[in-house]
Amino acid sequence: MSESFYTWQGEDLMLNLLVTAGAKVNQIRKVRGKQLKVAIATQPEKGKATAFLIGYLAELFKVPKQSVELVSGEYIPSKKIKIHQPKHIPSFVQKTC
């Protein structure tokens, strides 16, 4: 089985992201290697982009912001995110058990 940008840990979803801050629009882009490229419009200043990303992912997965955990990468583009018990699975993720 090939590596992917996401893995399931029980009911939690781990995402490996490559984030571009300061983009024109918020957008899920394509997979690059083992990371999903995500563009967000917020500028990368003192963690503002990471805070915005958490809110953006919370909306996509229909969970409260508290259910989106930054595991690593607070101030760098490569981020590891855990979504605790997502209520919605967007089309870019397929749940396989």
Side-chain angles (χ1 to χ4, degrees):
M1 182 168 151
S2 64
E3 288 283 328
S4 179
F5 67 89
Y6 69 91
T7 57
W8 287 95
Q9 293 182 344
E11 297 204 7
D12 297 338
L13 179 63
M14 294 291 295
L15 299 172
N16 291 311
L17 305 178
L18 181 60
V19 180
T20 301
K24 291 182 182 179
V25 294
N26 301 320
Q27 184 179 44
I28 302 295
R29 295 194 174 158
K30 50 186 162 174
V31 176
R32 179 178 174 201
K34 296 177 186 173
Q35 294 179 305
L36 176 65
K37 292 178 77 174
V38 178
I40 56 173
T42 304
Q43 294 298 316
E45 299 174 353
K46 300 180 183 176
K48 289 180 183 176
T50 299
F52 180 85
L53 175 67
I54 287 171
Y56 181 56
L57 293 172
E59 286 180 27
L60 289 175
F61 289 93
K62 301 192 184 321
V63 296
K65 288 180 186 178
Q66 297 85 349
S67 293
V68 180
E69 176 187 349
L70 177 69
V71 176
S72 64
E74 185 171 7
Y75 298 110
I76 60 173
S78 292
K79 300 186 184 306
K80 186 171 280 200
I81 302 279
K82 181 184 275 191
I83 312 289
H84 295 276
Q85 299 179 343
K87 306 293 183 243
H88 171 75
I89 308 300
S91 61
F92 59 87
V93 174
Q94 296 177 3
K95 185 168 185 176
T96 57
C97 298

